[in-house]
Amino acid sequence: MQSTLQKIIARFPERSFVVRSGSDTRYFVLKTWHQLFGVISFATLLLWTGVASVGFSWNHSARLTVEQQLATTIEENQAFIAQLESDQKNAYELRQAFDDEVQKNRQWSSRFEQIRSLSGGVLNEATPSNVAAFIPWFEGQLALRVRAVEQANEDLTELVMDMSESVAEISGHRPPESVETVGAWLTDVAGDLTEAYETQSRAMEVLHDSMTAALSKGFATIDGTPLADPEFAGFSPSFGTGGPSLEIASDHHVFERFQDR
């Protein structure tokens, strides 16, 4: 070890430097330890530079990795914030939809109570309070009422057709084919019946006048004749005993003119 150190020291003997400047001369002696110190300092500086370069490269690579991770983290945080905002918006919309559904359910419950109350009042029956039981009960009651209305319509149709056939027999017209044509048919028949009634009324008046004139010729006065009987007193062939005088107006329907006579 000492021989190696001595060999290294032997490579750095004392050296002298003479610097002349005109008539001035300077003499410098570079001793061994100065040389060793310079070499060691240079080697240390070189080693430190190498280590620092390697460390700088390592730190730079690590810094780039950290920056990349930081950028990735920032992107993930931004995506998380956007997702959180979207979730909050969806939660708000779901809350609004839930409130709307609750309001609709309240309205349907109120309408159900109204329908239930009205149904009970109309039918005079106790209605089920449960929706699942109320629906089949209401369907059954509705079916019964529909059948009752249909039966009433059938009975009314049969009655109208029977009356139409009776009027047809009296008037000599053919009866209507269906209940839909009864209105127009009655209008036509009513006109004919009115004309026949007015013709008969005029004929009865003529007959009454003729009989009165004939009886007046045979008797000096109407007293003592059948016409003086209270049953015939004030008799008018058109309107019956004690009826009003004949009034014919063209601006009124025949049944309006003769309905009270």
Side-chain angles (χ1 to χ4, degrees):
M1 181 68 180
Q2 291 182 354
S3 60
T4 303
L5 183 60
Q6 289 176 357
K7 289 180 180 180
I8 293 173
I9 293 173
R11 291 181 179 274
F12 299 97
E14 290 185 357
R15 289 178 173 83
S16 299
F17 295 94
V18 178
V19 180
R20 291 180 180 180
S21 177
S23 60
D24 295 332
T25 301
R26 292 183 180 182
Y27 179 77
F28 296 97
V29 177
L30 188 61
K31 295 183 178 182
T32 301
W33 67 272
H34 289 163
Q35 298 178 31
L36 290 174
F37 179 77
V39 171
I40 292 172
S41 298
F42 178 76
T44 303
L45 179 62
L46 185 63
L47 179 62
W48 179 83
T49 303
V51 172
S53 299
V54 173
F56 177 78
S57 299
W58 178 268
N59 292 332
H60 181 69
S61 177
R63 186 177 67 83
L64 293 178
T65 303
V66 171
E67 289 179 353
Q68 184 177 3
Q69 292 178 353
L70 181 61
T72 303
T73 303
I74 292 174
E75 291 179 357
E76 292 177 353
N77 290 337
Q78 291 177 351
F80 175 75
I81 292 172
Q83 183 65 34
L84 181 61
E85 292 177 352
S86 178
D87 293 340
Q88 290 178 349
K89 181 180 179 181
N90 293 333
Y92 176 76
E93 292 177 353
L94 289 175
R95 180 64 182 180
Q96 291 295 113
F98 174 76
D99 293 339
D100 293 340
E101 291 297 328
V102 171
Q103 186 65 25
K104 289 180 181 179
N105 290 335
R106 290 177 180 174
Q107 293 178 357
W108 284 114
S109 298
S110 177
R111 292 180 182 178
F112 169 72
E113 291 298 331
Q114 292 177 357
I115 294 174
R116 179 171 169 269
S117 177
L118 292 175
S119 300
V122 172
L123 301 176
N124 294 324
E125 295 183 7
T127 58
S129 59
N130 188 7
V131 178
F134 177 80
I135 292 176
W137 176 85
F138 185 77
E139 289 179 350
Q141 295 294 328
L142 184 61
L144 291 176
R145 295 305 182 275
V146 169
R147 285 195 294 269
V149 171
E150 290 177 350
Q151 185 63 39
N153 289 335
E154 291 177 359
D155 296 340
L156 182 60
T157 301
E158 184 178 357
L159 177 61
V160 170
M161 295 304 295
D162 291 342
M163 293 178 62
S164 300
E165 291 178 358
S166 299
V167 174
E169 292 178 359
I170 295 173
S171 62
H173 288 72
R174 293 181 59 185
E177 297 179 356
S178 63
V179 70
E180 287 80 6
T181 60
V182 170
W185 181 83
L186 282 176
T187 301
D188 297 337
V189 173
D192 295 341
L193 290 176
T194 301
E195 293 177 359
Y197 183 80
E198 292 176 352
T199 302
Q200 184 181 9
S201 298
R202 286 192 291 270
M204 291 295 293
E205 288 178 353
V206 172
L207 179 61
H208 175 267
D209 295 339
S210 300
M211 291 180 63
T212 301
L215 291 174
S216 297
K217 291 179 180 180
F219 298 91
T221 177
I222 199 172
D223 294 335
T225 65
L227 295 177
D229 191 278
E231 183 179 357
F232 296 98
F235 172 75
S236 175
S238 299
F239 303 100
T241 302
S245 60
L246 177 60
E247 297 179 359
I248 300 177
S250 59
D251 57 344
H252 294 286
H253 194 275
V254 60
F255 291 124
E256 294 179 355
R257 286 185 282 145
F258 294 100
Q259 61 183 356
D260 297 329
R261 300 172 186 172

